[in-house]
């Protein structure tokens, strides 16, 4: 049995996000069950899927003023970099880090979906954002200023955003 299985608890209520998350969970299970011969191609597929997955969410955030300097986007960049490092190790013949990352990724994903992705899905639903078209049913509900930090001005004031972008 896979470390992480799709369940209603992972659903966010934004169909596009839920579909990509289901695919991610299925790919992760395939990686976890893979033989050594299958592992690297499946890991590469997971890394590519994750890059597209994060890219889509990052676009949703930009289009709805969850500014690119926020910690959700930063999380995406860091996790993707680690996955790519695992790919490089696997390409050099060291599969053990990929096996370890697979287990840790299952734990990370469940927490990430429950916190950061839930907040994003709530925001997207609130403004009536359609991920397929990029349109919003209620643009008047968009924040007047881009959301920086972890989701609001109390977390990371707008003045700090340029410094965060430079880092």
């Amino acid at each position: 049995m896979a470390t992480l299985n799709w369940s209603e608890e992972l659903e966010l209520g934004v169909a596009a996000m839920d579909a990509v998350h289901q695919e991610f969970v299925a790919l992760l299970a395939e990686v976890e069950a893979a033989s050594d011969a299958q592992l690297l191609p499946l890991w590469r597929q997971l890394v590519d899927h994750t890059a597209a997955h994060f890219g889509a969410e990052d676009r949703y955030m930009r289009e709805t003023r969850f500014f690119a300097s926020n910690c959700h986007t930063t999380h995406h960049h860091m996790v993707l970099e680690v996955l790519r490092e695992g790919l490089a190790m696997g390409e050099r013949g060291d599969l053990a880090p990929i096996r370890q990352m697979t287990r840790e990724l299952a734990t990370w994903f469940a927490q990430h979906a429950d916190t950061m992705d839930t907040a994003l899905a709530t925001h997207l639903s609130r403004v009536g954002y359609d991920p397929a078209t990029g349109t919003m049913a209620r643009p008047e509900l968009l924040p007047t200023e881009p959301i920086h930090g972890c989701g609001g001005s109390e977390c990371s004031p707008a003045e700090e955003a340029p410094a965060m972008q430079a880092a």
Side-chain angles (χ1 to χ4, degrees):
M1 183 172 195
T3 302
L4 179 64
N5 294 291
W6 183 257
S7 70
E8 286 182 12
E9 292 175 6
L10 292 172
E11 288 181 10
L12 301 172
V14 174
M17 291 177 73
D18 287 337
V20 170
H21 285 181
Q22 274 188 286
E23 292 169 1
F24 176 86
V25 169
L27 280 169
L28 189 60
E30 286 183 51
V31 169
E32 190 172 11
S35 68
D36 284 352
Q38 300 167 317
L39 185 61
L40 195 55
L42 286 171
W43 185 258
R44 188 175 289 111
Q45 186 178 353
L46 180 70
V47 171
D48 291 345
H49 181 276
T50 303
H53 163 184
F54 289 174
E57 287 184 12
D58 291 348
R59 179 175 56 84
Y60 306 161
M61 288 185 273
R62 279 190 311 275
E63 291 178 356
T64 62
R65 299 192 184 137
F66 263 80
F67 199 70
S69 65
N70 75 54
C71 60
H72 192 157
T73 299
T74 302
H75 235 221
H76 285 170
H77 291 299
M78 291 183 327
V79 169
L80 194 53
E81 182 60 31
V82 169
L83 298 182
R84 288 178 174 147
E85 288 174 16
L87 179 60
M89 287 183 255
E91 288 171 340
R92 290 190 301 270
D94 188 2
L95 300 179
I98 293 175
R99 298 276 185 208
Q100 181 65 32
M101 285 182 196
T102 300
R103 291 185 295 276
E104 292 176 10
L105 195 55
T107 301
W108 171 84
F109 178 77
Q111 293 169 348
H112 180 81
D114 190 44
T115 56
M116 292 185 179
D117 285 345
T118 295
L120 175 59
T122 299
H123 171 73
L124 297 178
S125 295
R126 181 177 173 266
V127 300
Y129 180 78
D130 179 354
T133 64
T135 59
M136 279 166 268
R138 296 176 295 284
E140 69 278 6
L141 297 179
L142 284 172
T144 56
E145 297 291 322
I147 297 171
H148 297 286
C150 296
S153 59
E154 66 279 351
C155 178
S156 180
E159 316 63 269
E160 293 179 20
M164 291 172 61
Q165 287 175 330

